[in-house]
Amino acid sequence: MASKNSLMSWIDRRLPVTENLERHLTKHPVPSKVNFFYLFGALLMVVFMIQVITGIWLMMFYTNTEEGAFASVEYIMRDVEYGWLMRYMHSTGASAFFFLMYFHMFRGLLYGSYQKPKELVWLFGCFLLFLLMAEGFLGYVLPWGQMSYWAANVILSLFGAIPFIGESLQVWIQGDYVLSGATLSRFFALHVVVVPLLMIALVVFHIFALHEVGAGNPEGVDIEKYRDKTGMPLDGKPFHPYKTFGALPAIGIFFIVFFAIVYYAPTGGGYFIEKPNFEEANFLKTPEHIAPVWYYAPFYSILRAVTFGIPFLGITSKFLGFIIFAASIAILFIVPWLDRSKVQSIRYKGIFSKIAMIMFATSFITLGYLGTKPVNEIRTLIAQICTIFYFLPFILMPIYTKYEKTLEVPDRL
Ligand code: HEM
């Protein structure tokens, strides 16, 4: 569509800027009634930008060698102007990223946002979660502190536990027989270039796929059914200015909380940056208790529950733990094909879906708590029970969503 402005129409004839702005912003319909769960996508974009900007800044002063890494982070903290701010924004940003991501995904589970025709939106999202987990892990190794070193050893040894190819795979990933400077420099390359580029591409696909099929709402109402004369759905509003400006107060509140943490509790009480990581990596001294950062804790807990619990079949239990741990993430990818419900939203689904969601959320939080604590017998037992409760809602989903009684979804929002 050509605009009146002659420069703009010149550009439009060569590159359809106005048409795409209208298609994706000023004429793109979004549901007029959503709730706060629908703000997390926009906040994720904000955090992504924070990570990229602060990351570039940190990269200018960071040294990616075994001898220099820890000292360069200290230099950033003490001598680089506003280096402390950039570093704490980046480390707090990592926690914020996961926090928002988990809520964003939980919204998807609650309101069936993954259902037809949004399967691809969900799949791109799941790949983003996987990449974010990789990105966080790679980044955590970079300061070369005690926890960077030992936690990385634990994770890399999981690859070593794969039968037949494990040992050579671990050496290939490490680039050395042990975790060393060679590992550090390749982790740096992956953390600052490869994974972020893949993530940016996936976010673009995520949003384009969403705009193709249209955003959902907490009621699961199809807003495309009724339209006014202009073609705008009766229960819809243009994305811009309604959504864009509507997100601003949420972004403001997010910044207040974010900077309160950055200024007053940047280590998150040891949950965002663990205490041993203020000590340089020492391969002769294992920390008393190796714990992952809070956002990996639920998955780490599943890994430990199986590793310590089911040594049989001749497969090392560590390998079985690794398989179940991978399955706990992989199962999320197939959720759109597990849900057979006629309705989307939890509001209109039956009692079994509601119980399943409560079961999933409770076990996820409990596993998260247990993952940050040292193991003992009772904690292992609880983690094993929670691991079963984590999987059951998904495994049984095809059955209970097909047969449970659902409520009538209204025609309009
Ligand atoms: C870098 C990470 C991510 C970014 C920046 C991002 C961004 C967004 C944005 C801006 C929206 C539209 C607004 C909203 O509904 O909140 C959205 C929607 C959506 N996202 Fe994400 N997302 C990310 C990760 C994920 C993940 C991990 C999943 C799930 C596995 C996911 C699943 C969805 C779904 C299903 C929708 C459509 C919701 C609906 O309209 O009903 N996203 N995302």
Side-chain angles (χ1 to χ4, degrees):
M1 181 164 302
S3 97
K4 281 176 195 155
N5 179 317
S6 60
L7 174 65
M8 207 56 220
S9 67
W10 186 89
I11 296 174
D12 277 336
R13 279 198 300 277
R14 286 150 184 88
L15 184 75
V17 175
T18 311
E19 186 189 313
N20 276 297
L21 285 181
E22 284 180 354
R23 193 168 127 87
H24 292 287
L25 290 173
T26 50
K27 289 194 179 158
H28 179 72
V30 286
S32 49
K33 269 193 230 151
V34 288
N35 59 18
F36 97 112
F37 270 118
Y38 284 75
L39 289 165
F40 290 102
L43 295 179
L44 277 166
M45 298 272 213
V46 171
V47 173
F48 203 159
M49 279 189 255
I50 294 179
Q51 292 307 85
V52 171
I53 295 166
T54 54
I56 291 172
W57 201 302
L58 291 173
M59 204 163 49
M60 292 177 193
F61 304 97
Y62 172 78
T63 310
N64 63 334
T65 62
E66 196 176 349
E67 303 75 32
F70 187 83
S72 72
V73 174
E74 286 303 301
Y75 167 68
I76 289 170
M77 292 296 287
R78 291 157 201 263
D79 297 327
V80 173
E81 269 200 64
Y82 294 104
W84 59 272
L85 182 61
M86 290 300 133
R87 196 227 173 166
Y88 281 151
M89 278 177 74
H90 201 73
S91 56
T92 308
S95 277
F97 215 147
F98 276 95
F99 180 84
L100 298 171
M101 191 84 125
Y102 289 151
F103 270 95
H104 188 65
M105 292 179 69
F106 190 56
R107 181 279 313 263
L109 291 175
L110 277 185
Y111 301 130
S113 319
Y114 47 76
Q115 277 188 15
K116 195 180 165 193
K118 279 192 288 237
E119 299 97 323
L120 268 188
V121 181
W122 178 263
L123 273 188
F124 289 137
C126 288
F127 280 115
L128 275 166
L129 173 73
F130 173 73
L131 285 177
L132 185 68
M133 293 182 99
E135 181 70 351
F137 166 67
L138 296 165
Y140 202 75
V141 178
L142 299 185
W144 210 243
Q146 271 289 69
M147 207 50 107
S148 306
Y149 183 84
W150 291 98
N153 257 316
V154 171
I155 300 300
L156 287 167
S157 74
L158 293 177
F159 292 98
I162 297 174
F164 309 116
I165 55 159
E167 239 172 86
S168 21
L169 180 67
Q170 187 179 349
V171 171
W172 183 72
I173 295 171
Q174 282 173 185
D176 201 340
Y177 293 103
V178 288
L179 180 56
S180 71
T183 324
L184 182 64
S185 60
R186 65 181 50 192
F187 276 17
F188 177 68
L190 292 171
H191 180 77
V192 304
V193 183
V194 182
V195 182
L197 278 184
L198 288 175
M199 285 184 76
I200 291 170
L202 273 172
V203 170
V204 173
F205 288 150
H206 188 60
I207 301 301
F208 271 92
L210 178 66
H211 279 199
E212 199 53 42
V213 294
N217 55 73
E219 294 282 301
V221 167
D222 177 13
I223 64 161
E224 303 286 332
K225 239 180 180 174
Y226 304 103
R227 292 170 182 274
D228 63 16
K229 282 182 207 140
T230 64
M232 182 57 65
L234 291 182
D235 286 320
K237 279 179 181 164
F239 181 83
H240 179 75
Y242 292 96
K243 277 279 155 166
T244 40
F245 287 138
L248 288 182
I251 295 172
I253 293 169
F254 169 76
F255 271 126
I256 293 172
V257 176
F258 180 75
F259 281 107
I261 295 172
V262 168
Y263 282 109
Y264 298 111
T267 63
Y271 282 101
F272 299 173
I273 305 180
E274 291 150 298
K275 262 198 194 130
N277 235 29
F278 288 96
E279 231 179 278
E280 187 165 6
N282 180 351
F283 68 92
L284 294 172
K285 188 177 141 200
T286 321
E288 212 172 289
H289 162 54
I290 303 175
V293 203
W294 71 269
Y295 39 79
Y296 296 128
F299 302 103
Y300 181 64
S301 213
I302 290 178
L303 171 84
R304 255 191 340 195
V306 181
T307 301
F308 287 112
I310 322 170
F312 69 105
L313 288 176
I315 312 170
T316 58
S317 56
K318 196 171 178 182
F319 178 56
L320 201 59
F322 182 51
I323 299 258
I324 304 290
F325 159 77
S328 67
I329 298 158
I331 204 159
L332 298 170
F333 283 70
I334 55 167
V335 170
W337 296 276
L338 295 178
D339 187 347
R340 306 242 182 115
S341 188
K342 290 189 292 292
V343 299
Q344 284 190 9
S345 170
I346 194 80
R347 294 182 184 173
Y348 300 99
K349 279 184 175 168
I351 184 75
F352 290 107
S353 289
K354 288 176 180 140
I355 294 173
M357 269 305 105
I358 294 170
M359 210 156 114
F360 168 75
T362 317
S363 55
F364 188 78
I365 294 168
T366 314
L367 284 166
Y369 169 76
L370 294 171
T372 60
K373 300 275 166 228
V375 271
N376 62 27
E377 244 170 63
I378 183 77
R379 285 193 190 129
T380 304
L381 180 67
I382 299 172
Q384 284 163 346
I385 295 168
C386 286
T387 302
I388 295 170
F389 283 175
Y390 174 95
F391 280 102
L392 269 188
F394 298 118
I395 293 170
L396 299 179
M397 199 182 255
I399 303 169
Y400 65 78
T401 50
K402 189 166 178 193
Y403 295 110
E404 73 182 354
K405 228 174 128 202
T406 56
L407 298 174
E408 186 83 26
V409 181
D411 232 17
R412 298 273 317 268
L413 265 186

